[in-house]
Amino acid sequence: MLFAMLLLAGALSHVLPAGAFDRAVIDGRESVVPGSYHSVEATPLSLLDLFVAIPGGFRTAIDIMFVVFASGIMFGFMNRSGAVENAVGTLVRHVGIERRYVLVVVMTFVFGALGVFVGYENNIAMIPIAALLSLAIGGDLVLAAGISVAAITVGFGLSPVNPYTVGTGHRLAELPLFSGVLLRSLLCVTGLTVVAAVNVRYLRRMLEDPSRSLGADLDTTGLSLARPIAQYGMRATDTLVMLTFAAGIITMLYGVFVNGWFLNQISAVFCMVAIVIGLITRTSAEDFGSVTLRSVAEVAPGAFMVGLATSIKVALEMGQISDTIANSMAGALSGLPTYAAAVGMAALQSVMNFVIPSGSGQALATLPVLLPVGELLGLTRQTTVLAFQVGDGVSNLINPTLGGLVAMVAMCRVPFDRWLRFIVGPFLLIYALAMVGVVVSVLVGYGPF
């Protein structure tokens, strides 16, 4: 699928005219200058160029790829200690297997809250915990992806306090930071409610008819509970390992929100946590190496897919057609009625998300163009930013060029085609509800507050 999209990007470089916007550095970040689009010399991609884009994609995505490796190594040491298995088994024992649907709902909102407040790739290390929980209550790895990946994606995409999309958008629109919180919060809670309901429905159907499981044949080695639920309890070492993990997460959050840390610092924290857990569990030098290499091997497919997905973006940039696509779509909005323009703007951002999967990058590339267009069409700046957030955030659920999504689905060991079979229905429903929110924003003249 990803390679086919790479070939399509190469073909488009021969069909679409090359063009670019001028860019200026504003507050230390490069932004598009509205009205500056101009033609440039065409650079259609050759067959060699397409394959050059692949290592270019890996080079561009190296930060995301390494956080996948680092989180995999950390979880490898946690898994070897038995602490995560014992913690999940103890949780299920105390809550009761008969309350499995309550657990699904609660954990969906917990992972959603991680997306809202923590970020996206920052949560990669949490994904295997959802896998253990899902299998412990009779679910499968697809349900694990629904509980974790879907919830994190919706929480992050519709977060009222997302610094990458809403924060960047508000800065570009010169609006109070994270203003308009009520409507955004309502959309976010609605989206997570849909995800929770879909997860419960999937588990119920799977338990009634195991043949309806999308993940029945997936490898669960190392992710299943090894003993009956009644036998689980926490040892002193388990508690110490989980406290170390919690301390690492708290340190990461403090660094992200106070010191401006990003993926490299997060990876460093994960590596340090892995070493501390190895020392706590008295891991020998030889075992340190074997656990590390085994963990890297398990997450390598996901990391590889991140690099391959990013190569599509690199190919579009090499062909100089990314700005052409953005400019053409912005022009298509001119002359539309106000409500249709708002919905069309959100749909435009969804399409652009496949071209520029970075939320802040997409904001910097498209909002300087769309904010003036929105004002000419009678839209408030807050509505334009909301349309951008909805179009970008919800489409993340099905975006194969988004490295974080590909990595997290891969960490659940779920093939991407099966993920799409599971998530397309919920995606369409959440997308429709979010579009209703965009229309409401037009109706009420959505302003700074």
Side-chain angles (χ1 to χ4, degrees), residues 79 96 99 119 161 191 198 205 247 262 290 298 305 319 323 326 329 343 355 368 408 411 427:
N79 191 41
R99 296 189 183 92
V161 292
V198 167
R205 286 186 168 188
F262 199 48
S290 62
E298 289 178 354
M305 292 304 163
D323 286 357
M329 291 185 170
V343 172
V355 179
M408 287 193 284
M411 287 194 75
F427 158 72

Side-chain angles (χ1 to χ4, degrees), residues 366-445:
T366 62
L367 280 179
V369 178
L370 292 178
L371 283 166
V373 172
E375 290 183 323
L376 290 173
L377 295 172
L379 301 176
T380 66
R381 291 189 171 195
Q382 192 74 271
T383 291
T384 299
V385 175
L386 178 67
F388 155 71
Q389 181 188 11
V390 164
D392 167 76
V394 180
S395 62
N396 282 339
L397 285 168
I398 60 168
N399 186 0
T401 67
L402 180 61
L405 175 69
V406 173
M408 287 193 284
V409 171
M411 287 194 75
C412 283
R413 304 180 187 176
V414 175
F416 203 81
D417 62 320
R418 297 199 204 182
W419 167 252
L420 290 179
R421 287 169 60 189
F422 172 80
I423 204 62
V424 162
F427 158 72
L428 293 174
L429 178 55
I430 295 171
Y431 197 74
L433 292 172
M435 288 297 188
V436 171
V438 172
V439 171
V440 169
S441 75
V442 177
L443 182 64
V444 301

Side-chain angles (χ1 to χ4, degrees), residues 34 40 81 260 305:
V40 297
S81 74
M305 292 304 163

